[in-house]
Amino acid sequence: MNSADVVHTCLAGDAGMSDLPDFRTALDTLPLAVYMTDADGYVTYFNAAAADLAGRKPILGRDRWCVTWELRRPDGTALPHDQCPMAMALKTGRPARGQELLAVRPDGTVVLLLSHPTPIFDRTGTLTGAVNLLVDITDRQRVEEDSRYLAAIVESSDDAIVSKDLNGIVTSWNKGAERLFGYTADEVIGKSITLLMPPGYENEEPNILSRIRKGERIDHYETLRQRKDGSLVNISLTVSPVRDAGGCIIGASKIARDISETKRAAEALTARLREQAALYSLAQRQQRSKDIAEIYEASLDAIQSALSCNRASILLFDKSERMRFVAWRGLSEEYRQAVDGHSPWTVDAVDPEPIFIEDTNLSDIAQELRSVIAAEGIAALGFIPLVAEGRLIGKFMTYYDLPHPFTANEISVALTIARQLGFSIERLRAEDARQRAQALLRRKEALERARAAELMAIMQAVPASIWIARTPDCRVISGNRAAYELLRQPDDANLSLSAPAGERPDNFEIFSEGRLLTAEEMPVQRAARGEEVPNFEEEIRFDDGSSRYLLGNATPLRDAAGEVIGAVAASVDITERKQAEEALQESEQRLQIALAAGRMGAWEWNPATGEVIWSPGLEALHSLEPGTFGGTFADFKRDIHPDDLPLVELEIARALESKQNYHVVYRIRLADGTIRWMEAFGQFSVPGPGRPVKLAGVCMDITERKEAESQRNLLVAELSHRVKNTLAIVNSIARQSFSTNPDAHEAQRSFDARIRALAQTHTRLAEANWSGVSLETVLSDELSPYQDADTNNITLRGPRTMLPPKHALTLGMAAHELATNAEKHGALSTQGGCVEIEWALDPQEKKLRICWRETGGPPVLAPKRNGFGRLLLERVLAPDLGGEVHLEFAPQGLKCTIDLPHPGGAFP
Amino acid sequence: MTPAEPCRVFVVEDEFLVALQIEEDLAAAGYMVVGPFTSLASSLAALRTEHFEVATLDLNLRGEPGYPLVDALLERRVPVLLLTGYAVSDLPERYRALPRLTKPFDGATLIRNIASLLSGK
């Protein structure tokens, strides 16, 4: 009984569904499509399965005969709904069973179904409607199709598909099996499958059968079978148990596939995979490796694995460009030593090709190498060049115990490994170089840091002020301790005068050569513009009025490319030196002034070099233009008066020898012939190490002093002469006075008077500075004691006539004698007597005539004896003055005429 | 030298009062005075014509130095006695060694010097 029958039975056995809601619910959830119509065929009920099958939701009371969208006959022709089995059942009142129909859903899908309509009659036998059960047989139909399809597949499959019973007896044998194993179905069916087992595989079948009996399935079991022709074939076997309808295992089906090709491919693939794995592993290890030995090990592993050789080696050129073993596997010490340095390529080989010797016995290897190779048991070998950065750096070698054909694949792999190894060596070498460079850099940096620290310490410690600008605009300038202290700024202050107001220092200003400098004119700023500023003097004037003077340099700071990136300046405080210098200058100036005022000059003589330096003042004393003095000792001697040169040379020699002060007075003769007196003082400089002995001193023009001295000496001599002459004269007067006059008393009186007269003239001469006295003065001095203003007894008449001292003295004495004679015996001895003195100058003849005439006195008598007066007049005056004296004792009075040469003529 | 042939003394003295005294002193001692001459010119002129054995000279002849006269006398190897008021330091070097009497002097000294000069001849 199928499910449709159950439904029919249930429905048929019941009066109404409405009466049985539980039953209705069961219908609703039934997985079979069920619908009902009334007697006219209009749908009155459908369940969810019916709607699903129809692919639409039927409309109750409107859909008629069927719930489907469209119906077709199994041949595909359209079947109108009113002709469908349900319609026929309603119309005929007879049920239909299992008519095949195709229902087309609104979405176009087609469902194959079996229709089971059943008319429903009430108790009276009246048709009240029908119920239809639709069974979807789409899948069932597919199974049948599959079965047919499978049979075709089995028959046409390339795989051998064989079934056997539990005893291993073949029950089916397809075409694939015939092709694979060479036996036809007829030859095999009914025989044991062990027919296919090659020797050594006899145990396989019992194992397979025992596993099949246990219901196990054997998947893709690879094994070997023997064909009918005896050849072996690799197969992949899948064995599945075959059960009867009751589920009992009755045999096995097996599918065998020839996998010889697959196996070869797999082996090749495995080899590729191994190579790839080896290369991958090599790449991995090389990538990770930091050590060249590891690289070698990894490379040897890869070579051995990928190239299937059990011996290998790596050789690299050493510094002497000789190929050396760096890593190896399975090579004896003897072999390595024997072939050491052998290489098919030199270091400069370009694009070297690998060399493969497939059989050493067949190759043209040099004999001694051949024996070495043979002794090592090597039958084949490969030389694969290692290249890094385009240059041959070495090779790796593969060694085979047996002759070995090198496949293209192997060569390719070998080249790949060589490339990898080359890269790795290159990478490690680069890394090594980089590390060494880094280490060097680090050492350098450490050194730089140490140096920088040292420099910083030095910078802080030096007594010089240092300024540093780290940018070309000098907006910020820092300094060392000395700089901050000098500028009276705190350690963190910005010392730049270019800094913004409020940040820059404002307690000082900078001057140079008396001029205020702008910030841009500062040495450090000039240097920051690329200028070297050497020996710059500046004055810092602080706001408290004090000043410091600096002397320094500024230099640009440049980066490695030579770009100016700042500047540094260093200065020393030269204030004290400057002040000392100024003081020295001042004192030198004073000295120069003093020298000039004193008509002095300074000189210096270096006896070692013969160099003589004269100050401009000394040149002036020698009437030389400034700077024209020749500068040698000979130049110095040239002007010295020849008479004095020996003295000067002597003094210099003495000073040189004794190192005592030098002092000499000498004359110089100037170019115009003028003689000047010079007085020189010199002193040896204190000799010091490296300091030559120098004689330095001053020279004074003492001509005036010398002249004054000589004048004074002359005066003194003259005075001495005069005084002594005068004493001699007095001596003579005394003798004459006393010898010519017997009356001692009288003689004494006369002598006194004569000395007084002499003294009188001396006084006059002294008053006139011994330049001379007028004749009138001399005469009136002698005559004034006798003058009588009332009688006008004395007359002096003559032009103003100046007498030289000698004339004045002699004429004074003569006048004294004449006057005393007149007073004693002549005109002045009586009342009414008169003395008339007249004189005249004859400018042409340069003569002076003096006439003394007495009148009104007592009668004149010739003198009884020659007294001093007459002696003086006649024997002294005339010779003394080179003139003539005429005495006339006329009765009316004495007349004396004196004619004298007179040098000066008339004085104005 | 005998009194019959008095020794001749060349006297140069510009101060005639002094010359007078010298003359008297020399005459008193038995000498014969040639001169006295009072100027350089007259002395030099007399030198060429007069004969004498010894000379007394004043070095200042009316302001003129008498050195040329001294030189001329020395050249003739005539003993010279300088009679002067000058100190020795005032004299030029070469004349400092000559016999000299400083004014004022007395007659006896003069005669002793003249005699000494003559005896040394």
Side-chain angles (χ1 to χ4, degrees):
Chain A
M1 193 176 141
N2 63 23
S3 55
D5 293 336
V6 173
V7 173
H8 285 286
T9 306
C10 293
L11 289 171
D14 191 54
M17 291 189 352
S18 57
D19 298 326
L20 295 163
D22 289 341
F23 196 66
R24 174 73 176 265
T25 305
L27 265 183
D28 283 343
T29 56
L30 197 71
L32 291 167
V34 176
Y35 72 94
M36 290 194 294
T37 63
D38 59 14
D40 295 326
Y42 290 100
V43 175
T44 56
Y45 171 80
F46 62 90
N47 70 356
D52 280 348
L53 183 138
R56 61 188 287 271
K57 187 170 180 188
I59 303 162
L60 294 179
R62 219 161 104 192
D63 283 359
R64 200 176 180 190
W65 312 120
C66 192
V67 292
T68 60
W69 178 251
E70 262 179 39
L71 287 171
R72 290 180 189 199
R73 295 188 184 87
D75 61 3
T77 58
L79 176 68
H81 277 172
D82 59 357
Q83 292 175 26
C84 74
M86 180 69 163
M88 295 317 290
L90 279 168
K91 286 172 184 171
T92 63
R94 282 197 299 273
R97 287 293 175 265
Q99 195 171 343
E100 246 184 47
L101 289 174
L102 290 167
V104 180
R105 292 182 177 124
D107 63 5
T109 55
V110 178
V111 182
L112 183 67
L113 54 83
L114 293 173
S115 175
H116 298 87
T118 303
I120 301 169
F121 301 94
D122 64 11
R123 285 172 186 157
T124 64
T126 306
L127 183 73
T128 56
V131 61
N132 197 0
L133 179 76
L134 301 174
V135 179
D136 183 344
I137 58 160
T138 312
D139 293 339
R140 187 183 303 165
Q141 189 188 30
R142 193 174 295 143
V143 168
E144 284 168 12
E145 280 171 1
D146 285 352
S147 184
R148 284 196 299 276
Y149 182 66
L150 280 172
I153 288 170
V154 167
E155 204 50 36
S156 62
S157 173
D158 279 347
D159 291 337
I161 300 173
V162 174
S163 61
K164 57 186 182 186
D165 63 16
L166 288 175
N167 296 314
I169 303 300
V170 175
T171 55
S172 73
W173 189 262
N174 76 342
K175 286 276 190 295
E178 284 182 11
R179 278 195 298 276
L180 181 59
F181 299 115
Y183 296 100
T184 65
D186 295 342
E187 287 172 314
V188 179
I189 290 174
K191 293 191 178 154
S192 173
I193 195 75
T194 55
L195 184 74
L196 301 175
M197 301 297 173
Y201 286 79
E202 292 84 355
N203 286 336
E204 218 180 76
E205 187 60 18
N207 286 338
I208 292 170
L209 288 177
S210 104
R211 286 172 67 184
I212 291 298
R213 284 193 197 98
K214 288 185 213 155
E216 283 176 32
R217 179 187 157 100
I218 299 158
D219 270 329
H220 305 300
Y221 172 69
E222 283 183 17
T223 185
L224 201 65
R225 290 293 180 263
Q226 197 163 31
R227 290 198 181 91
K228 185 181 174 187
D229 63 4
S231 66
L232 296 174
V233 59
N234 279 305
I235 59 164
S236 169
L237 209 56
T238 296
V239 187
S240 308
V242 177
R243 298 166 194 266
D244 67 4
C248 291
I249 294 163
I250 54 165
S253 76
K254 55 195 244 181
I255 301 170
R257 176 171 290 167
D258 180 354
I259 57 165
S260 297
E261 204 55 45
T262 314
K263 198 150 176 84
R264 271 195 297 281
E267 274 171 5
L269 187 65
T270 305
R272 292 295 86 72
L273 285 172
R274 197 176 65 238
E275 287 163 13
Q276 292 305 314
L279 290 176
Y280 176 73
S281 164
L282 173 62
Q284 287 273 311
R285 289 172 68 185
Q286 283 179 340
Q287 207 56 45
R288 280 196 306 272
S289 178
K290 299 283 179 229
D291 177 15
I292 194 74
E294 273 180 53
I295 298 275
Y296 296 150
E297 285 307 305
S299 299
L300 290 173
D301 284 347
I303 291 164
Q304 284 186 303
S305 167
L307 300 177
S308 307
C309 55
N310 50 9
R311 285 187 279 183
S313 65
I314 300 171
L315 298 94
L316 296 178
F317 283 118
D318 66 6
K319 285 196 179 97
S320 61
E321 300 185 347
R322 203 173 149 85
M323 205 72 102
R324 300 283 189 187
F325 282 94
V326 295
W328 58 90
R329 296 263 171 88
L331 295 178
S332 70
E333 174 84 27
E334 294 73 25
Y335 176 75
R336 281 187 283 110
Q337 281 183 359
V339 302
D340 187 52
H342 280 284
S343 167
W345 312 287
T346 56
V347 73
D348 48 2
V350 178
D351 297 333
E353 289 293 325
I355 297 165
F356 297 100
I357 299 172
E358 301 199 336
D359 188 342
T360 51
N361 289 317
L362 304 177
S363 72
D364 50 353
I365 303 170
Q367 189 53 49
E368 75 269 19
L369 265 184
R370 185 191 296 277
S371 57
V372 168
I373 290 168
E376 190 72 3
I378 294 167
L381 39 115
F383 303 71
I384 299 93
L386 297 174
V387 174
E389 291 176 322
R391 288 184 56 246
L392 181 69
I393 58 166
K395 64 179 177 182
F396 76 77
M397 302 285 300
T398 56
Y399 310 92
Y400 297 87
D401 301 347
L402 297 171
H404 181 85
F406 290 90
T407 64
N409 189 60
E410 275 178 338
I411 293 170
S412 160
V413 169
L415 290 177
T416 303
I417 292 173
R419 207 158 42 240
Q420 293 253 37
L421 180 53
F423 285 155
S424 291
I425 291 171
E426 189 179 319
R427 180 175 68 81
L428 269 198
R429 283 182 176 176
E431 174 69 12
D432 190 41
R434 191 182 64 79
Q435 279 181 356
R436 264 184 302 193
Q438 263 184 353
L440 194 68
L441 193 68
R442 274 195 298 277
R443 274 202 306 279
K444 262 189 185 166
E445 276 173 355
L447 210 64
E448 289 281 309
R449 273 195 300 278
R451 202 168 293 159
E454 202 176 282
L455 278 178
M456 185 57 72
I458 292 171
M459 200 178 96
Q460 291 297 349
V462 288
S465 302
I466 297 173
W467 287 268
I468 301 166
R470 291 187 170 88
T471 55
D473 63 8
C474 296
R475 293 258 164 212
V476 177
I477 294 178
S478 56
N480 67 348
R481 200 157 43 230
Y484 290 111
E485 280 170 9
L486 174 79
L487 297 177
R488 305 170 187 174
Q489 289 285 324
D491 282 357
D492 54 352
N494 183 352
L495 301 178
S496 173
L497 294 177
S498 293
E503 198 183 315
R504 63 170 175 256
D506 57 359
N507 60 326
F508 61 83
E509 286 178 323
I510 311 277
F511 287 76
S512 183
E513 291 169 350
R515 194 172 61 80
L516 176 66
L517 297 186
T518 64
E520 287 70 34
E521 291 172 309
M522 298 297 152
V524 68
Q525 304 236 10
R526 284 168 57 192
R529 294 195 296 270
E531 191 186 344
E532 288 283 350
V533 186
N535 302 327
F536 190 83
E537 261 197 58
E538 60 190 355
E539 178 194 354
I540 304 174
R541 282 189 203 162
F542 291 98
D543 48 12
D544 66 358
S546 64
S547 273
R548 302 301 295 177
Y549 292 88
L550 300 183
L551 172 67
N553 300 317
T555 191
L557 285 175
R558 294 175 192 276
D559 63 12
E563 287 294 311
V564 176
I565 53 163
V568 60
S571 294
V572 289
D573 190 327
I574 55 163
T575 309
E576 277 69 31
R577 205 178 80 196
K578 186 98 183 163
Q579 283 167 352
E581 220 168 67
E582 274 173 5
L584 188 67
Q585 269 177 8
E586 210 173 295
S587 93
E588 212 150 81
Q589 224 161 21
R590 277 201 300 269
L591 180 65
Q592 286 302 333
I593 291 168
L595 287 176
R599 284 189 59 73
M600 289 168 96
W603 51 269
E604 189 183 275
W605 175 50
N606 183 340
T609 63
E611 190 190 15
V612 179
I613 299 167
W614 279 8
S615 72
L618 188 49
E619 288 178 320
L621 292 189
H622 281 254
S623 294
L624 292 174
E625 288 297 316
T628 59
F629 173 63
T632 69
F633 196 58
D635 290 314
F636 157 66
K637 288 200 290 186
R638 187 169 306 123
D639 278 358
I640 298 175
H641 195 287
D643 289 352
D644 294 352
L645 186 54
L647 175 69
V648 173
E649 286 176 329
L650 185 75
E651 284 300 321
I652 288 173
R654 192 188 55 75
L656 264 179
E657 195 185 345
S658 63
K659 295 287 178 289
Q660 293 300 305
N661 290 349
Y662 160 79
H663 178 211
V664 68
V665 175
Y666 57 93
R667 285 163 296 169
I668 57 171
R669 197 163 51 189
L670 303 182
D672 63 0
T674 314
I675 303 288
R676 306 290 300 179
W677 279 92
M678 304 297 274
E679 182 170 17
F681 296 93
Q683 206 167 20
F684 275 99
S685 56
V686 182
R691 211 138 46 113
V693 173
K694 281 182 181 174
L695 186 60
V698 292
C699 216
M700 279 177 279
D701 184 331
I702 56 161
T703 308
E704 279 74 22
R705 196 184 84 198
K706 205 75 183 166
E707 279 171 355
E709 232 170 48
S710 129
Q711 190 66 35
R712 194 197 65 212
N713 287 344
L714 210 64
L715 281 174
V716 169
E718 195 55 38
L719 185 65
S720 168
H721 163 76
R722 282 200 185 128
V723 167
K724 288 171 181 175
N725 237 11
T726 305
L727 287 174
I729 289 167
V730 169
N731 200 15
S732 182
I733 290 169
R735 192 195 286 191
Q736 296 304 329
S737 298
F738 290 106
S739 66
T740 53
N741 196 337
D743 181 347
H745 183 66
E746 177 61 22
Q748 184 64 50
R749 212 175 46 80
S750 298
F751 174 71
D752 288 349
R754 282 170 185 146
I755 296 304
R756 270 200 306 276
L758 189 61
Q760 173 77 24
T761 314
H762 267 272
T763 303
R764 289 291 183 199
L765 281 169
E767 279 169 1
N769 218 0
W770 286 83
S771 59
V773 185
S774 79
L775 177 59
E776 190 171 359
T777 303
V778 172
L779 293 172
S780 67
D781 277 348
E782 294 305 327
L783 291 167
S784 56
Y786 315 113
Q787 186 138 26
D788 184 346
D790 298 336
T791 58
N792 198 19
N793 58 344
I794 297 167
T795 308
L796 300 176
R797 196 161 48 239
R800 179 172 163 76
T801 301
M802 290 305 288
L803 298 174
K806 174 85 181 161
H807 286 61
L809 286 169
T810 308
L811 284 172
M813 283 191 287
H816 175 76
E817 294 306 318
L818 286 169
T820 49
N821 183 67
E823 189 262 336
K824 279 184 192 158
H825 312 290
L828 297 179
S829 62
T830 58
Q831 198 68 27
C834 194
V835 177
E836 201 179 57
I837 308 159
E838 274 183 283
W839 65 92
L841 275 169
D842 182 347
Q844 260 76 45
E845 297 292 321
K846 293 191 176 170
K847 289 211 166 164
L848 170 65
R849 166 167 283 199
I850 304 163
C851 287
W852 174 290
R853 188 180 291 121
E854 296 179 25
T855 53
V860 172
L861 299 170
K864 289 173 268 187
R865 54 182 169 92
N866 273 343
F868 177 73
R870 194 164 177 186
L871 175 83
L872 186 80
L873 284 167
E874 287 181 342
R875 300 231 4 234
V876 174
L877 195 148
D880 244 6
L881 302 181
E884 283 176 25
V885 177
H886 184 73
L887 278 172
E888 192 185 331
F889 298 97
Q892 65 270 33
L894 178 70
K895 193 179 170 187
C896 178
T897 307
I898 305 169
D899 286 301
L900 295 171
H902 188 270
F907 285 86
Chain B
M1 183 189 316
T2 63
E5 291 176 40
C7 188
R8 300 169 70 90
V9 181
F10 189 72
V11 175
V12 179
E13 172 59 63
D14 71 335
E15 210 58 70
F16 209 81
L17 267 174
V18 180
L20 204 62
Q21 192 178 337
I22 293 167
E23 200 178 353
E24 277 181 15
D25 288 340
L26 286 173
Y31 295 98
M32 187 178 203
V33 170
V34 180
F37 303 98
T38 59
S39 72
L40 185 63
S42 60
S43 307
L44 286 170
L47 205 58
R48 288 193 290 272
T49 54
E50 301 290 339
H51 297 284
F52 48 89
E53 278 74 42
V54 68
T56 70
L57 301 178
D58 183 358
L59 282 177
N60 186 326
L61 302 172
R62 302 188 186 174
E64 273 187 297
Y67 304 125
L69 182 59
V70 180
D71 292 341
L73 289 169
L74 290 177
E75 204 174 300
R76 293 183 176 204
R77 301 182 182 279
V78 173
V80 171
L81 178 64
L82 300 181
L83 304 173
T84 178
Y86 292 114
V88 70
S89 60
D90 296 332
L91 297 181
E93 188 77 34
R94 53 192 299 233
Y95 304 119
R96 290 184 188 176
L98 290 174
R100 184 169 47 82
L101 273 183
T102 302
K103 290 181 183 176
F105 48 84
D106 62 35
T109 311
L110 173 67
I111 298 307
R112 201 167 49 249
N113 272 276
I114 292 291
S116 159
L117 272 176
L118 285 169
S119 66
K121 191 179 174 181

